[in-house]
Amino acid sequence: MTQNKIIDLRSDTVTKPTKAMRKAIANAEVGDDMYGEDPTVLELEEEIANLLGKEKALFLPTGSMANQIAIKAQTQPGDDIFVGQNAHNWMFESGATGFISSVQITVLPGDGRYDANAVRTHYKPDNVNFAPTTLISIENTHNVSGGVTWDRKEVQKVLEAADELDLSKHLDGARLWNASTYYNVPLDELTKGFDTVSVCLSKGLGAPVGSLLAGNEQVMKKAYRLRRILGGSMRQAGIMAAGGLYAIRNHREKIQDDHENAQLLALGLNKIDGFSVDIIKTQTNMVILDITDPNVSTQQLVAEAKKEGLLFLSLSDKRIRLVTHLDVSREDCIRALDILSKISNKALVYS
Ligand SMILES: Cc1ncc(COP(=O)(O)O)c(C=O)c1O
């Protein structure tokens, strides 16, 4: 039976709720969240605020909305903001920052992570020639760079530079659970100094839906209004919050398995001729595979693997991404390695 199971390594967003999670969802106590009466949403918001060490947290449908509300709440139209290379809130939120906040984005140099020096160098003061810089955004872990974590000391230096320049600081922590597992430190150690933090329940934690934005009372008051403006205020949202509560209480310890499975994949793939993985950068649940063989393309690999029941994403002609998650076992990863090894040999022979 396992032989026919589809192994879906496209993203950690593809997980389906377990039976136990569905039961928690079915039994959720609900109320009208617009009236502040949904007990399950309130419980989730309080639990997340405590975990993140912030005064308040707000339940939202998506991580994109959380990021965009954070930017809108802390900027004025015409401002400049800093993000890292390929940041999700720059590249993959459909231009929302320009559309919603009318700010200019400066992408700081680096592999998605940047340093304090870049913050100081690219800072634009409030001068008639410039869009004044008012916000920095950090993505930890960084998605496109393969789930890499930021150096904790560098984050401190970046935050210090931002404070000197009086900039607001947002943390896109869609996968902060993974970062906390990697560093083996509590979440609130990673959120200190940030004004706003977004986290997703629908990625490594395996909930079907939901994200939260956390911060102090003042910024969250603005966020509350912005959620309504963007159409993100919900009613009996406890149905969704229950999946999130179940996830943070039962699935956090499983993230370590995802990291070990990613290591297994990375080490195995590195042994296949024509493939190369940067093991040092394989820190959490993502593996970035570079195809070094000139005769093999990602399109070929994706198509051939799909025939064998293995799914992953092509990032470019020579680069693919494989993501481990709750619905992928160690055995699945071993089978994925077998499939890729078989395909790569075939691709080499027939190309
Ligand atoms: C780093 C990061 N931030 C934000 C998001 C947005 O989450 P959502 O898909 O819930 O809008 C994602 C989604 O993959 C992400 O990888």
Side-chain angles (χ1 to χ4, degrees):
M1 230 174 83
T2 352
Q3 278 306 92
N4 297 326
K5 179 189 166 191
I6 300 279
I7 305 170
D8 193 344
L9 301 176
R10 287 173 301 167
S11 174
D12 48 12
T13 56
V14 301
T15 53
K16 307 229 171 86
T18 60
K19 270 199 184 132
M21 186 185 277
R22 284 175 191 267
K23 196 167 164 207
I25 292 170
N27 293 334
E29 274 190 52
V30 295
D32 193 323
D33 188 42
M34 275 287 291
Y35 297 146
E37 287 174 4
D38 191 302
T40 313
V41 171
L42 295 174
E43 199 178 337
L44 174 68
E45 289 177 340
E46 198 181 333
E47 199 154 322
I48 293 279
N50 286 337
L51 278 174
L52 299 178
K54 298 292 170 200
E55 286 173 11
K56 264 198 157 323
L58 186 66
F59 188 48
L60 297 161
T62 64
S64 301
M65 192 185 277
N67 277 337
Q68 296 306 325
I69 286 179
I71 294 168
K72 181 71 183 164
Q74 297 175 98
T75 58
Q76 293 298 322
D79 284 357
D80 173 61
I81 69 167
F82 291 165
V83 301
Q85 276 294 343
N86 291 317
H88 197 280
N89 51 19
W90 168 48
M91 283 291 280
F92 304 107
E93 292 175 14
S94 211
T97 305
F99 195 86
I100 296 168
S101 297
S102 303
V103 293
Q104 161 182 297
I105 295 180
T106 299
V107 182
L108 297 187
D111 65 355
R113 300 170 288 187
Y114 53 84
D115 59 23
N117 189 33
V119 172
R120 292 201 173 86
T121 310
H122 292 266
Y123 169 72
K124 296 158 206 74
D126 195 353
N127 159 317
V128 70
N129 290 307
F130 300 131
T133 312
T134 52
L135 173 97
I136 64 159
S137 176
I138 278 182
E139 187 178 312
N140 197 9
T141 68
H142 192 278
N143 181 345
V144 172
S145 292
V148 288
T149 58
W150 286 58
D151 179 86
R152 291 184 60 203
K153 288 205 180 98
E154 198 53 56
V155 172
Q156 283 319 306
K157 288 187 197 159
V158 166
L159 292 175
E160 277 163 31
D163 282 340
E164 278 166 31
L165 300 166
D166 200 22
L167 310 178
S168 299
K169 295 143 292 176
H170 173 61
L171 172 61
D172 177 351
R175 294 182 180 80
L176 201 64
W177 324 101
N178 298 81
S180 143
T181 300
Y182 174 77
Y183 302 122
N184 195 21
V185 297
L187 290 156
D188 59 0
E189 284 288 316
L190 306 177
T191 59
K192 276 192 190 129
F194 285 95
D195 299 299
T196 47
V197 182
S198 54
V199 287
C200 292
L201 305 166
S202 57
K203 306 201 164 61
L205 290 182
V209 66
S211 292
L212 290 101
L213 181 70
N216 68 22
E217 296 271 357
Q218 210 185 348
V219 73
M220 293 314 293
K221 196 171 165 206
K222 285 191 194 168
Y224 183 72
R225 172 116 203 275
L226 287 165
R227 177 177 72 170
R228 183 63 171 153
I229 289 172
L230 295 176
S233 299
M234 298 175 280
R235 302 295 178 173
Q236 283 70 32
I239 293 286
M240 292 180 279
L245 268 178
Y246 183 90
I248 54 174
R249 290 172 185 169
N250 296 282
H251 291 169
R252 279 192 65 196
E253 73 278 11
K254 297 203 162 80
I255 284 181
Q256 181 60 35
D257 298 343
D258 298 344
H259 294 189
E260 285 167 18
N261 287 337
Q263 279 296 319
L264 178 89
L265 276 176
L267 293 168
L269 289 168
N270 232 0
K271 289 192 189 132
I272 301 175
D273 274 352
F275 288 170
S276 165
V277 176
D278 186 342
I279 304 289
I280 308 275
K281 280 193 158 188
T282 312
Q283 299 178 338
T284 60
N285 67 330
M286 296 188 183
V287 179
I288 302 290
L289 170 65
D290 286 314
I291 302 172
T292 51
D293 191 297
N295 299 316
V296 181
S297 72
T298 53
Q299 288 79 357
Q300 269 177 297
L301 273 191
V302 169
E304 289 290 325
K306 197 171 173 191
K307 287 186 209 157
E308 302 285 332
L310 173 63
L311 309 180
F312 45 78
L313 283 187
S314 156
L315 295 184
S316 73
D317 244 20
K318 288 286 174 192
R319 179 165 275 197
I320 62 175
R321 189 188 75 171
L322 306 101
V323 185
T324 56
H325 51 76
L326 267 178
D327 292 357
V328 171
S329 65
R330 187 180 158 82
E331 290 66 38
D332 292 334
C333 292
I334 293 170
R335 201 178 131 224
L337 283 172
D338 282 347
I339 293 172
L340 276 162
S341 160
K342 199 175 99 191
I343 291 172
S344 74
N345 288 331
K346 205 164 97 183
L348 284 176
V349 173
Y350 293 111
S351 60

